[in-house]
């Protein structure tokens, strides 16, 4: 494939339009944010289009809030009416039908750029680039901007670098050669002082309260599986942060965090074992009750609670996970603390 082909296809996909609405997944993380601003930069600089970035949910983690402040708040809360105008829509770090973005089923995406598992509906977009073998969507946008021969400002380079770094844990989780190439290309262009400030962003006292709750709720099974049923999550991405922290426990191959945020049960799953695959396990655990997806080592899912008892649902999900991983849903774990 000619390396300029994706850029040409994006241009053709937006032919006849002067505006673009870019939508990352709900509760956008650094990879989604960086991919969105990278695409906005590409289409505004090369096509002269006006591009806006809209999102649903929350930007909850202190690090993510610090990144958004550094970028001068490039995202806005999405108004449902925005998607009903005659404006092309680009989904980044997510896909149609994934369940983690607000795109209605009756509105097609014009552009889809993602690194998660392929969904057939994405092929209906005018342009799609889905690469599950890549660790971060920001890697894809870094390649595009290189192809387009655009300059990388310190702000843009820092965001893209941080997006790759967080999604691959510094190239230590699910990273490909493309991620490594983008990572080291961006590294000398990064605003190092600001990056350190973002990574060390101060957190509210509720963060430590939630971490304390998660650790006390954690149960260890056969020294290689930890499940923490925290019941209430202060923000939707807190489970993922807890999962990343507790997976560091020596000997643990699997970590699962289950909790309720508003009207949804949130599942966060991490793995050091690629035999089963975190994404496959998440789908098996969630089943047809909700949506789930992920990679070999990182996955998540959510279930709309509706009229169900949230705590009974949490216990049910825990038992399903135990059945898949231990072959016995009644096995009893040992308190971590």
């Amino acid at each position: 494939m000619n390396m300029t082909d994706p850029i040409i296809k994006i241009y053709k996909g937006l032919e006849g339009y002067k505006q673009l609405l870019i939508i990352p997944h709900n509760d956008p993380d650094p990879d989604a944010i960086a991919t969105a601003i990278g695409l906005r930069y590409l289409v505004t600089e090369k096509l002269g289009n006006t591009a806006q970035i809209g999102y649903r949910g929350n930007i909850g983690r202190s690090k993510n809030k610090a990144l958004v402040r550094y970028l001068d708040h490039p995202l806005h809360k999405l108004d449902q009416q925005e998607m009903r105008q005659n404006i092309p829509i680009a989904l980044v770090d997510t896909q149609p039908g994934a369940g983690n973005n607000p795109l209605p089923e009756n509105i097609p995406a014009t552009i889809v750029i993602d690194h998660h598992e392929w969904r057939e509906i994405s092929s209906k977009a005018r342009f799609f680039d889905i690469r599950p073998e890549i660790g971060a969507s920001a890697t894809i946008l870094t390649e595009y901007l290189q192809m387009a021969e655009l300059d990388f400002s310190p702000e843009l380079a820092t965001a893209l670098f941080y997006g790759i770094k967080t999604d691959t844990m510094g190239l230590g989780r699910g990273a490909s050669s493309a991620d490594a190439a983008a990572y080291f290309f961006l590294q000398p262009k990064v605003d190092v002082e600001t990056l350190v400030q973002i990574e060390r962003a101060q957190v509210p006292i509720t963060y430590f309260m939630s971490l304390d709750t998660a650790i006390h709720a954690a149960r260890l099974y056969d020294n290689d599986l930890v499940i923490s049923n925290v019941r209430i999550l202060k923000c939707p991405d807190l489970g993922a942060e807890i999962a990343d922290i507790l997976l560091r426990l020596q000997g643990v191959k699997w970590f699962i965090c289950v909790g309720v945020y508003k009207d949804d049960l949130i599942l966060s799953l991490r793995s050091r074992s690629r035999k089963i695959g975190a994404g496959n396990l998440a789908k098996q655990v969630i089943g047809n009750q909700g949506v789930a997806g992920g990679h070999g080592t990182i996955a998540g899912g959510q279930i709309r609670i509706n009229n169900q008892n949230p705590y009974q649902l949490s216990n049910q999900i825990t038992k399903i996970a135990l059945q898949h991983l231990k072959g016995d849903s009644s096995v009893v774990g040992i308190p971590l603390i």
Side-chain angles (χ1 to χ4, degrees), residues 82-146:
E82 289 182 77
M83 291 182 287
R84 303 191 183 280
Q85 300 173 9
N86 187 28
I87 299 174
I89 293 173
L91 289 182
V92 296
D93 207 28
T94 182
Q95 296 176 56
N100 65 345
N101 65 70
L103 187 71
E105 292 183 5
N106 63 329
I107 297 180
T110 302
I111 294 172
V112 181
I113 299 170
D114 190 26
H115 72 118
H116 296 96
E117 184 178 352
W118 162 256
R119 291 179 178 270
E120 187 61 38
I121 192 173
S122 295
S123 63
K124 295 182 179 181
R126 288 191 181 185
F127 172 83
F128 59 88
D129 189 353
I130 316 298
R131 301 193 222 170
E133 73 280 5
I134 284 182
S137 294
T139 294
I140 300 173
L141 255 297
T142 300
E143 290 181 354
Y144 290 174
L145 297 175
Q146 288 176 295

Side-chain angles (χ1 to χ4, degrees), residues 61 206-207 210-211 233-243 257:
R61 292 191 188 186
T206 53
Y207 171 86
S210 298
L211 184 57
L233 291 168
K234 299 294 184 182
C235 63
D237 53 3
L238 186 60
E241 185 151 1
I242 292 168
C257 182

Side-chain angles (χ1 to χ4, degrees), residues 158 165 190-201:
T158 301
K165 184 178 182 181
V190 165
D191 181 341
V192 176
E193 183 177 344
T194 298
L195 181 61
V196 171
Q197 292 175 358
I198 292 171
E199 293 184 318
R200 295 181 181 178

Side-chain angles (χ1 to χ4, degrees), residues 210-255:
S210 298
L211 184 57
D212 177 74
T213 299
I215 292 173
H216 281 87
R219 297 293 181 268
L220 179 63
Y221 300 85
D222 296 336
N223 295 317
D224 64 355
L225 165 67
V226 173
I227 299 179
S228 180
N229 190 332
V230 298
R231 291 189 170 240
I232 300 296
L233 291 168
K234 299 294 184 182
C235 63
D237 53 3
L238 186 60
E241 185 151 1
I242 292 168
D244 285 336
I245 292 171
L246 292 187
L247 185 62
R248 295 175 60 192
L249 182 64
Q250 187 174 17
V252 169
K253 294 181 180 178
W254 290 92
F255 180 84

